[in-house]
Amino acid sequence: MRSLIDKMAIVSMHGCLVLLAACSQPETTTDHMQEHFTQVEATRAAVISGDLDAAREPARWLARHEATQGVPEGWGQHVVQMQLAAQRIVDANEIAPAAAATAEMGAICGGCHQGMDEGAQFTFVAPPPQEAGVVAHMLRHQWAAQRLWEGLVGPSEEAWSRGVAALAEAPLQPTESPEEVGELASRVHELGTQAGEATGFIDRAKVYGDLLATCAQCHRQMDAGPGTRVRAARTGGG
């Protein structure tokens, strides 16, 4: 499960870093933005896996790292906002507030890109096939969550819409998953509906934060729960 999240983070990170390398900003600013995005992605990967301890290390870097000199006018405010959100992750004792702060960092990235008139460019990968069972369903969820993240960070209406569409699919049937996993999967689809109605960074960050927290709870449930279906989903990367 974790390996899939890491791979998706790498794809997303690559798309953004290619854009940043091409920006006309001074090299020190580009390096600063690249490192920021690397640490944000590391935080998100840990949060979505339900690993709050692992999320604190990159969040601590973000909270303490100072803006470089010579950054574009107005860009420093995004750094300050990022620091405040990151500190909330460092201080969090539960995954839900950390997930909310992580989503806020994504919105801050998107606001910065939008303010520079430079949206991040992502290469969309095809969604996993629609098949029955926990593993296939969770893979679809991960794909959708990645598209929503790209929609927030880009910002990209196309990416956000792709994520919403994927979550509009029918939820798991009761016979296909353990009860607690099925309930959380249904919650993910409810959040997909909310994502379709959300407009603007604030509303979308709220929905995405709830989605991260739900995914994290499901992943931890699958790690702790008995049963071959749970173990199969965990090893399958869903």
Side-chain angles (χ1 to χ4, degrees):
M1 187 187 309
R2 184 101 181 239
S3 61
L4 175 68
I5 299 169
D6 292 341
K7 289 177 182 177
M8 288 183 167
I10 290 171
V11 171
S12 175
M13 189 185 308
H14 174 72
C16 193
L17 296 188
V18 167
L19 166 77
L20 295 176
C23 287
S24 60
Q25 304 299 334
E27 182 177 357
T28 54
T29 302
T30 299
D31 292 343
H32 186 82
M33 293 176 72
Q34 288 177 347
E35 185 61 20
H36 259 74
F37 194 74
T38 298
Q39 299 297 339
V40 170
E41 282 287 4
T43 304
R44 186 180 72 100
V47 168
I48 203 170
S49 297
D51 192 341
L52 188 53
D53 288 338
R56 289 194 180 101
E57 181 178 351
R60 188 174 289 109
W61 185 95
L62 289 163
R64 297 177 179 177
H65 196 65
E66 298 294 334
T68 57
Q69 295 182 350
V71 297
E73 183 179 356
W75 192 75
Q77 66 178 331
H78 296 292
V79 176
V80 173
Q81 293 170 352
M82 185 78 70
Q83 289 172 329
L84 294 174
Q87 188 60 48
R88 289 199 292 276
I89 298 170
V90 175
D91 296 337
N93 294 319
E94 297 180 354
I95 203 70
T102 301
E104 183 179 339
M105 291 198 300
I108 293 167
C109 289
C112 180
H113 295 155
Q114 189 176 64
M116 298 192 324
D117 295 325
E118 291 283 358
Q121 303 298 316
F122 299 99
T123 300
F124 294 127
V125 296
Q130 295 189 53
E131 298 175 349
V134 176
V135 174
H137 208 76
M138 295 303 173
L139 287 172
R140 298 280 295 186
H141 282 186
Q142 294 289 358
W143 186 91
Q146 183 67 20
R147 302 291 80 74
L148 291 177
W149 175 248
E150 293 167 359
L152 192 62
V153 170
S156 168
E157 287 296 327
E158 181 181 2
W160 188 266
S161 296
R162 285 172 180 252
V164 168
L167 292 180
E169 300 166 358
L172 281 168
Q173 297 302 310
T175 57
E176 293 181 307
S177 67
E179 181 178 0
E180 63 276 13
V181 173
E183 291 175 354
L184 290 168
S186 295
R187 172 60 177 157
V188 168
H189 288 279
E190 292 174 6
L191 289 168
T193 300
Q194 294 179 28
E197 299 170 351
T199 58
F201 286 117
I202 295 176
D203 291 345
R204 290 183 174 183
K206 173 64 169 61
V207 173
Y208 193 77
D210 290 344
L211 177 63
L212 280 182
T214 302
C215 290
Q217 185 179 354
C218 184
H219 294 160
R220 292 197 294 189
Q221 192 74 253
M222 293 173 76
D223 283 338
T228 55
R229 284 176 297 183
V230 172
R231 287 195 294 273
R234 185 174 61 197
T235 57

